[in-house]
Amino acid sequence: QPPADVDYQLVVGDSRDQGSPWHAFRVAIEPPRPAVSLTIATDAVTGTVGKPIAVEVAIERRHGFTERLTIAPEGLPAGVAAAAVVSPGEGDAAKKVMLEVVCHEPVSGPVRIVARRDGRPGGEPLASAACGTERVVGLWLTAVPAVP
């Protein structure tokens, strides 16, 4: 909890850092809620058919979020397999996990990586992985045949 006996300053502006008497803004001030977000370093990965493709997923836990998470890809194209990975609430695996994707045939298409509360399949994901600072949700997966 932030201290109640201090002064706070709220600075509001638009996306261009502008403001005037003719601007109107809606502000909501709420206590912080536990939250989680996922990030992947790139928006595309390429690998070889039959060999694992590693996808590192960074996990940011905010405001006391310590629940176990299941991180898994969704929307895998036909011929693509990947196991879900559990991220405990603390330790190194609470901050980063590695997914391994194996393509059994050539493929090129989008994949979504999501986090759900561990042991609670289905329902809305808590977070979807975004790529770097671009906030592009999803990953483009490409697997090409091995060169003989």
Side-chain angles (χ1 to χ4, degrees):
Q1 277 295 20
D5 60 348
V6 296
D7 292 331
Y8 293 93
Q9 180 180 12
L10 176 65
V11 178
V12 180
D14 65 11
S15 63
R16 294 190 177 112
D17 215 15
Q18 302 291 312
S20 76
W22 296 277
H23 284 77
F25 298 95
R26 178 182 289 187
V27 177
I29 300 174
E30 301 174 347
R33 295 183 194 149
V36 63
S37 61
L38 306 178
T39 307
I40 46 182
T42 183
D43 63 350
V45 293
T46 302
T48 304
V49 171
K51 294 185 179 178
I53 301 169
V55 179
E56 184 177 291
V57 181
I59 304 163
E60 181 185 0
R61 297 165 182 267
R62 296 179 305 281
H63 309 299
F65 188 94
T66 58
E67 293 184 51
R68 285 172 50 107
L69 296 171
T70 299
I71 314 293
E74 287 187 340
L76 293 173
V80 178
V85 177
V86 173
S87 171
E90 56 188 45
D92 290 342
K95 300 173 190 167
K96 176 174 53 174
V97 295
M98 190 70 71
L99 289 174
E100 279 197 2
V101 180
V102 178
C103 302
H104 301 288
E105 56 190 59
V107 67
S108 186
V111 174
R112 185 173 175 220
I113 298 172
V114 300
R116 287 195 165 79
R117 286 181 171 87
D118 189 38
R120 299 183 195 170
E124 278 299 306
L126 293 174
S128 295
C131 303
T133 58
E134 297 299 315
R135 308 314 292 168
V136 175
V137 176
L139 172 71
W140 194 268
L141 173 67
T142 302
V144 295
V147 177

